[in-house]
Each structure stands twice: as C-alpha cells, then as structure tokens.
C-alpha cells in the first residue's frame, strides 16, 4: 500500500477532509497529515446556509470541523494537497478541483453560478488523471447537494490513490476549460433555492397523493429490441397495471419450462418497504397481477433472477440491511430460501452478475455513508457463485452519474457484452444508456461511454430506468 501525506488548512477545515483520511486508512494505506500555512478560503455565506440546514438535518460533509491532526509517519510516496498551494520536489502531488476551482467553497459557488452539473478533477503534478460527475439526489437542500458532491470527491481521490498504488494512474484527456464566473455566494444561492422549491411543488402536484410512482411495462417482440436499436420504437409496450396502493419497478424476466415469469419490486405505500413479486405470462400474451414471493424485514428491490447449475437463483438488492444475499428457488417461482450471504457491512446497490472465463463478477454502486447510491461503481469477483467475494483492487471504478449504476442484466451482442446503466444526470430514473464492456480482469475494468437510449412511440415516457429481456419478452420501467 501507499504512504500518503494529506495537506490541509490550518483553519477552515471541513468534515469531508477527515472522512477522506478515514477512508484511505480503511483501504490499508498509511496516512498522515499536516497543516499548510496560509489563509483558508472565505465561505461565510456557505457556512451560514449550512448552519441553518444543520438544525434540520445535522452536520454535513461540508460543515466546518476541527483541522486534520498533525503527524507525519515517515517519507511520503504521495502527497494529497487539499489547499492547492503545496509542492515538494521529488514527491508526486495530487490536487482536487471542484467545478474548475481549486477550493470547495469556490467550486460550490461556481456550480450555483453556472447552473452546470458538478464536475470533479484530480490532477497529479498538474496533469489530469481522473474525472468524476457526482449525482445530486436533492436539488433543494444545499447541505445534501454538498454531501453528494463531497462523497464523490472522496471516492474520486480514493480511486486515484488505488490506481497510483497499482501503477495504473495515467493521464486522461482534458475537457474543454469552462468559462468561470465571479460572483458572491448568496447572490447565486437564492435563485438555486427558489428553483428547488418550485420544482418540489410541481413534483407533488404531478404525483398527486402518491409520494412517488413507477410503472413497469412489457411487450412481445421478435427480432431486435431496445438494446439493439437504442430506441423505444417498434411494438407498443403494455403497462403492468397497479391498484393505486402500490407501484411496480425493477422488472426482470426469465423463461422457464416454456413459460415466462416477470419478477418485480412491489412497493406498497402502506408499508413503505419493497418486496419481490412475480407474475406469469398468460396464453393471451399478458401478465397477471403480481403476487408476493419474497419478503424481508428490510427493503428489497432489483430482483435479478437467473439459472445456474440446473437451479434458479435470485440476487435482489438489500442495501438497506447492508448485506447482499443469494436466494435459491426451493419451489420456483413461489418459494425462495436464503442460500448464501455474499457480502455484509456494505451498502451495495443493484449488484449485477456476470460469469466470464470461469470467474464470477458483481458490478454495482457502493455508498460509503454519504452521497448518492447511484454514482460510484464498484466491482467484486469470486471463483464461484457462493464466493468468497473480494473487492477489485481499483475500486471505485468510476464516479459518474450516467455510467455507474446498472439498470438490468448484461446483454450479449455477438462477441460483445453490454451493460444497461442508469442516467441520473438530472434525476434518479431519468434515463438509461448502454455501455460496452471492453475489459474486465483483476488488473482493470473498462467500459465505453454509455450510448443513451432515445425516446420513441413504443413507450410514452421521458425515459426508462431498467431494461431486460428473455426470449421474445422485453420489459422496461420508468418513473410514472
């Protein structure tokens, strides 16, 4: 592992800097810190808003905190300079850039001023080596937006350190430099907050009495589907009806003994907790009312169901319980038993299975206490389905609101493997893209940039959130 020295401000430190130190320590690096002289960035307006919001939500990653502890444990292999002012000849120096700015308060102001989605950059001795695009899950409360932005920053630095340790940290192409704006924080914050209030009110009016709403849809087709055309065109999708007391989401379909079975997350509003349900395709080409087949004390979703070694298994998402469990069909499709706990102590979302060259892989998004559950890809592998599962040496693989969280099982197209990924650039469930897997091994994980799935007359919604297919049955879902 790497001996790391983190440089922070003498004053003006924030909680995320200490979280970064803890995260790198947990990854096995030897981490020490010291404080650089010089003034901290002025952030009175930002700190005032965070203080007000903390009375409702508690402190955020952006809240002021005690400075990093001082103490240096031997010569450093790598310096992480959080001040943007430090240099030591002969030692590589990592710096972090927020929305084109070298400090976090300036980056937040720039994000509000420009209206652009937040972007992060890590530089090694001034050369760009990593980029991240965190997902903002709440655009009303600034402390929550800051949590998303800073959790992404921590993960991006952790990614860069992992690649540095493995000798895989290499320059990447620079994006065009944005036009930066100079203005006061409060002047930019007030329109941001006002727009958030209006958007929240419009959303409540649109959904009526439902707090949130999803719909599953299906169709019977022959030949190319959405994954091949990249469009929601062709045969019209049919909505899986609900009774208004629940919604259905995360559809997976499996063909078994000549029949098709649709597994979904069923979310009854009365309980506020997802369960897994199944519907069978009738002779008339329609699915019946889903019935519950798997329920736990915690939320379940994303019922990835598959055949392996003559049996049927399911790996649903159970991040609320901080575990990932392999279920086996004791009596398909109605009775499921816990077969193996694959992971514990992890907030791992929409874990998607791939078997390749005799090894098993799980790709999903991992949340580390703060931030979005949809923008930080992590990969685990095992010699067999039941494990043991180990983290990839380069985790996290990506920090990207549009290229991290899976939205369905892998799709084989000729010799290529394609992964549907959620596009959360504007909102969770806002769209889906298709990424071709270029490399997956113990040394690296690489995908092509996602190709967005375009709208079309087959599904009259703004976008889709999940895509799966078995035989001639194709299923999607989207925010209602």
């Amino acid at each position: 592992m790497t001996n790391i020295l983190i440089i922070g401000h003498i004053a003006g430190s924030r909680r995320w800097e200490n979280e970064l130190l803890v995260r790198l320590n947990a990854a096995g690096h030897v981490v020490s810190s010291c404080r650089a002289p010089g003034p901290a960035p002025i952030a009175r307006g930002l700190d005032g808003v965070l203080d007000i919001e903390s009375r409702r939500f508690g402190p955020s990653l952006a809240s002021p905190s005690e400075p990093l502890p001082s103490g240096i444990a031997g010569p450093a292999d790598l310096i992480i300079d959080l001040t943007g002012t430090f240099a030591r000849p002969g030692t590589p120096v990592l710096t972090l850039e927020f929305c084109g700015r070298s400090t976090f308060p300036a980056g937040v102001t720039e994000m509000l001023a420009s209206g652009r989605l937040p972007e992060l950059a890590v530089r090694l001795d001034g050369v760009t080596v990593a980029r991240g695009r965190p997902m903002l899950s709440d655009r009303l409360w600034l402390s929550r937006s800051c949590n998303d932005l800073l959790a992404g920053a921590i993960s991006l630095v952790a990614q860069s350190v992992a690649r540095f340790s493995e000798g895989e940290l290499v320059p990447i192409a620079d994006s065009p430099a944005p036009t930066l704006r100079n203005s006061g924080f409060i002047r930019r914050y007030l329109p941001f907050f006002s727009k958030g209030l209006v958007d929240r009110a419009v959303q409540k009016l649109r959904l009526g009495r439902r707090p949130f709403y999803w719909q599953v849809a299906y169709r019977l087709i022959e030949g190319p589907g959405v994954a091949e055309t990249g469009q929601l065109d062709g045969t019209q999708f049919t909505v899986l009806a609900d009774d208004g007391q629940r919604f259905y989401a995360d559809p997976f379909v499996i063909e078994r003994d000549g029949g098709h079975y649709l597994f979904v997350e069923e979310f009854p509003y009365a309980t506020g907790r997802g369960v897994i349900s199944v519907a069978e395709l009738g002779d008339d080409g329609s699915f019946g009312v889903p019935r519950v087949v798997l329920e736990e004390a915690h939320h379940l979703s994303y019922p990835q169901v598959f055949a392996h070694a003559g049996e049927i298994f399911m790996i649903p998402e159970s991040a609320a319980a901080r575990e990932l469990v392999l279920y086996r069909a004791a009596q398909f499709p109605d009775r499921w038993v816990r077969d193996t706990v694959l992971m514990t102590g992890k907030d791992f979302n929409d874990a998607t299975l791939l078997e390749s060259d005799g090894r098993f892989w799980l790709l999903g998004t991992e949340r580390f206490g703060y931030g979005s559950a949809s923008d930080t890809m992590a990969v685990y592998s095992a010699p067999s389905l039941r494990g043991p599962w180990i983290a990839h040496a380069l985790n996290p693989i990506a920090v990207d609101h549009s290229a991290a969280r899976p939205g369905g099982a892998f799709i084989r197209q000729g010799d290529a493997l394609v992964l549907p990924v959620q596009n959360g650039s504007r909102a969770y469930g806002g769209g889906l893209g298709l990424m071709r897997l270029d490399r997956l091994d113990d040394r690296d994980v690489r995908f092509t940039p996602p190709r967005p799935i375009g709208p079309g007359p087959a599904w009259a919604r703004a976008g889709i959130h999940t895509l799966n297919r078995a035989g001639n049955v194709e299923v999607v879902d989207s925010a209602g």
Side-chain angles (χ1 to χ4, degrees), residues 205-234:
L205 287 173
R206 183 173 64 86
L207 295 178
R209 292 191 301 171
R210 298 192 188 209
F212 42 88
Y213 184 40
W214 295 81
Q215 286 185 311
V216 164
Y218 61 91
R219 66 179 179 180
L220 276 62
I221 61 169
E222 300 292 342
V226 175
E228 290 74 32
T229 66
Q231 299 286 329
L232 291 163
D233 53 11

